[in-house]
Amino acid sequence: MDIRTVDTTPFDDQKPGTSGLRKKVAVFQQPHYLENFIQSIFDCVEEPRGKTLVLGGDGRFHNRAAIQTIIKMAAAAGFGRLMVGQGGILSTPAASAVIRKYRALGGIILSASHNPGGPGGDFGIKFNIGNGGPAPEKDTEAFFRRSRQLNQYRIADVPDVDLERVGETPLGDLVLQVIDPVADYAELMEALFDFGRINSMFEAGMLDIRFDAMHAVTGPYACEILEKRLGAKPGSVMNGVPREDFGGGHPDPNLAHARELVGIMNGGAGAPHFGAASDGDGDRNMVLGQRFFVTPSDSLAVMAANAHRLPGYRMGLAGVARSMPTSQAVDRVAERLGIECYETPTGWKFFGNLLDAKKVTMCGEESFGTGSDHVREKDGLWAVLFWLNLLAIRNESVESIVRAHWRAFGRNYYSRHDYEGVDGARAGELVEDLRDKLAGLPGKRLGEREVRYADDFAYTDPVDGSVTEHQGVRIGFQDGARIIFRLSGTGTEGATLRLYVERYEPDPAGHDQETQEALKELIQIAENLSELRERTGRSGPTVIT
Ligand code: VG1
Ligand code: CO
């Protein structure tokens, strides 16, 4: 096998964000762009000789081309084995499961998650380490530093490989192994949940579900697990064929983008009992009942409160964790259970150490992400199976489970307002100016509430002591209400400003308000304080979740 060393010049924009390096497809199609970043990773990881690497993606446009290039570069780097999902497919949680099961050095996941795909859309690369989780910041910073000096990469001169046939092919010293992308993941799910019990519900016709794969990576996983293994009726999985452009849609499981599913779930009495959707790479989930939306923060809290009822979590939870902007609903569950609740910066990479150290068993984010120690990523289908298992055990509707939860713990009204594609400099200034106001806020009254604290969130990892700063401006009130501002780290166009608002309502008599109405005063305060509309030039948010 001939290995070519190619001269290149560094790019200065290969800095990974919240979840890997994300750019427009056209940026990745520039000569050497992908190769430079892959070589930067290979130069930073431990000696690859004889080690296993996992590779796959969400099937978006450019996935196959990128995979062929990475196979040749992995062969040149000296890896012993490269496990690639058939057709280049591996969902993010499945890649995490495969890395862990086969004790790989790590894995490369090609995805821009919920960002649109296609030639005009986005592409992305994430590197996951040996625990199956996203590379921590010290690693992503090292990749970035390396990318700024790189002047050569190495690539094997071999023809493109057939990715459709499961099996092994030698490429020099490398064994290329095309694997079934679903098998290991499905086996893991069977070990965690009571498939027999869920199956009986389907057999008895007591459970009608709809899962929207949004033409993204979860299609094959959902068809195999929900329809084939669990016996959900054919057609339960919608939009189950992955497409390079996600059928022209925006593979983001929320009320704004999963409209078709939302329409079905809001149908009359004949609407399915349970609805769910996942995103481009399969790590997000949205849970719906009949005419009922479960906020991701509530979903996390309900799951944590009920985990001990499910086979995989019978021993109870060691602790829980949530990202800072996620609602404090799960904190109340942790308090009741007498376990620790950790608050981390946004992004799954901050949960890895807590999970590895067994400080937490379950974690989640407000952005439609929940997961547990079974992998080191958030996991969309896992959350769906968790809910199905819970429905089978409790034999109640989604809505009644959530309402009972509110009665027991109180309700955290919660919403996120996104201002997408705003001018980067102006969004930066807005956050800077807010930071300047923070010191004067504690003790002050804003509307009917008194500010208890106002700060720029910083996190010290309790396991390795690493410090991460500037993770969002937060204003907390005496009654537990919060207002948070943060700039997104996953966009590819301009800046996205996120406003997160939360308020706690202990009284069940107050649990029936419409969310935006319940949060109206706080939203107004946040908009005034930040001069949001004037500074962004927008009359309202792009997306409300
Ligand atoms: C967003 C979410 C964050 C999530 C990240 C990756 O990040 O807010 O909670 O971890 O996306 O999810 P940001 O920086 O844009 O707010 V995924 O499904 O895109 O990998
Ligand atoms: Co995702």
Side-chain angles (χ1 to χ4, degrees), residues 113 279 281 283-284:
S113 190
D279 69 332
D281 62 332
D283 55 0
R284 296 187 176 205

Side-chain angles (χ1 to χ4, degrees), residues 30 37 69 102 191 250 285 294 322 326 376 404 483 509 512 527:
Q30 295 173 86
F37 190 64
T69 302
Y102 299 99
H250 200 133
N285 74 92
V294 186
R322 62 161 172 84
T326 303
R376 292 293 178 274
I483 292 172
D512 294 321
E527 289 180 359

Side-chain angles (χ1 to χ4, degrees), residues 18-19 22 113-114 126 279 281 283-284 346-348 365-367 378 416 486 488-490 498 500:
T18 311
S19 180
R22 284 191 198 170
S113 190
H114 55 288
K126 302 194 275 188
D279 69 332
D281 62 332
D283 55 0
R284 296 187 176 205
T346 295
W348 215 260
E365 295 191 280
E366 51 67 38
S367 53
K378 54 186 186 273
R416 180 175 111 181
R486 218 189 122 253
S488 155
T490 55
R498 306 202 195 284
Y500 312 79

Side-chain angles (χ1 to χ4, degrees), residues 110-132:
L110 304 174
S111 170
S113 190
H114 55 288
N115 297 17
D122 289 352
F123 192 73
I125 302 182
K126 302 194 275 188
F127 182 74
N128 283 27
I129 58 175
N131 73 354

Side-chain angles (χ1 to χ4, degrees), residues 47 68 125 160 217 245 260-261 264 322 332 350 359 366 374 420 472 488 530:
E47 170 59 45
Q68 294 294 347
I125 302 182
D160 279 2
V217 80
D245 66 348
E260 190 187 351
L261 175 70
I264 293 171
R322 62 161 172 84
R332 299 193 177 269
F350 296 101
K359 288 181 180 294
E366 51 67 38
H374 70 289
E420 292 175 355
S488 155
S530 59

